[in-house]
Amino acid sequence: MSTLTTLLGYETGQPPKLVRFVPRLRGSEKQRRMLTMTPDLHDWITKPVKGAALSHIKANARVHFGQFVKGGPIDDCRFMKRVEDRRLNPPDFSHEVWSISPRFGEPQYRFFGTFVTRDWFLAISKQDRTRLDEHQNRWHDEIDKVLRTWKSLFGASLRLSGNSLFDYVTMPAEHCDDRW
């Protein structure tokens, strides 16, 4: 069974193991890319909360994810980045873990995941950016969490890999991270 077939089965299962993020579409807007999430991450993004600050942060994260899904311009410097594994020398990107980086308000969160196929991102976890910066191992913990979750969902199936952002997403996109 293909990874995509398995993912679609997880989205339609009862209860679903994965949930598709669908932004508000207006007028002629369409889903041009796909974004699937773990149920707890989807709940965090979509469920209302008390308090203006957190509501604002979550709303801005939804807008950021919506830009991805609607096929808006993205880049691999500010919008999202491949996560560097600094436990290796030289640092390595081969694990194919990415972070989506909404930069609105405080605290800022990073959403970690991987590409299932071109234009289809699977978001698995989130972490407060300040907490990540307290110790480099926290970035590595998120890499390991994504890899464990992938393995539990898809076994030995390979994650999408590539040599530039264009191997992961269609235009409009800007490959500006020269580290990989």
Side-chain angles (χ1 to χ4, degrees):
M1 188 178 317
S2 77
T3 304
L4 208 47
T5 302
T6 302
L7 182 142
L8 292 170
Y10 288 147
E11 286 184 344
T12 58
Q14 291 302 322
K17 287 187 178 181
L18 297 172
V19 181
R20 182 86 49 94
F21 174 78
V22 181
R24 228 178 249 166
L25 301 171
R26 294 185 171 99
S28 63
E29 292 179 331
K30 296 178 182 171
Q31 290 186 52
R32 301 188 187 285
R33 302 181 187 117
M34 302 296 173
L35 179 64
T36 298
M37 303 176 164
T38 59
D40 60 322
L41 193 54
H42 189 268
D43 285 349
W44 187 88
I45 288 289
T46 60
K47 298 262 169 133
V49 294
K50 293 181 180 176
L54 187 55
S55 291
H56 183 70
I57 289 167
K58 290 169 75 165
N60 284 323
R62 287 190 302 271
V63 168
H64 197 77
F65 289 142
Q67 183 178 340
F68 178 85
V69 173
K70 295 173 187 179
I74 65 169
D75 63 64
D76 61 355
C77 285
R78 293 162 301 284
F79 188 91
M80 66 189 316
K81 286 186 177 193
R82 283 177 79 170
V83 181
E84 180 178 42
D85 190 337
R86 293 184 180 172
R87 295 172 287 195
L88 305 172
N89 193 7
D92 183 59
F93 295 92
S94 65
H95 47 66
E96 301 300 339
V97 173
W98 292 73
S99 74
I100 294 180
S101 309
R103 299 171 194 265
F104 311 104
E106 291 294 331
Q108 291 184 4
Y109 288 93
R110 297 298 179 259
F111 297 86
F112 294 88
T114 190
F115 282 89
V116 178
T117 187
R118 192 170 189 214
D119 289 330
W120 199 319
F121 190 78
L122 172 60
I124 293 173
S125 66
K126 72 170 176 45
Q127 187 59 258
D128 180 317
R129 175 62 197 247
T130 303
R131 183 160 166 71
L132 287 166
D133 288 344
E134 288 173 358
H135 198 284
Q136 187 62 43
N137 285 344
R138 294 204 172 113
W139 289 90
H140 300 137
D141 292 344
E142 295 303 316
I143 292 170
D144 295 342
K145 186 184 298 182
V146 168
L147 297 178
R148 277 191 316 274
T149 302
W150 177 272
K151 186 175 182 178
S152 75
L153 293 169
F154 303 106
S157 295
L158 298 176
R159 294 167 304 286
L160 182 65
S161 67
N163 295 316
S164 82
L165 181 62
F166 306 109
D167 294 326
Y168 299 90
V169 297
T170 52
M171 299 295 268
E174 179 186 356
H175 177 61
C176 56
D177 187 350
D178 60 359
R179 298 175 303 151
W180 58 285

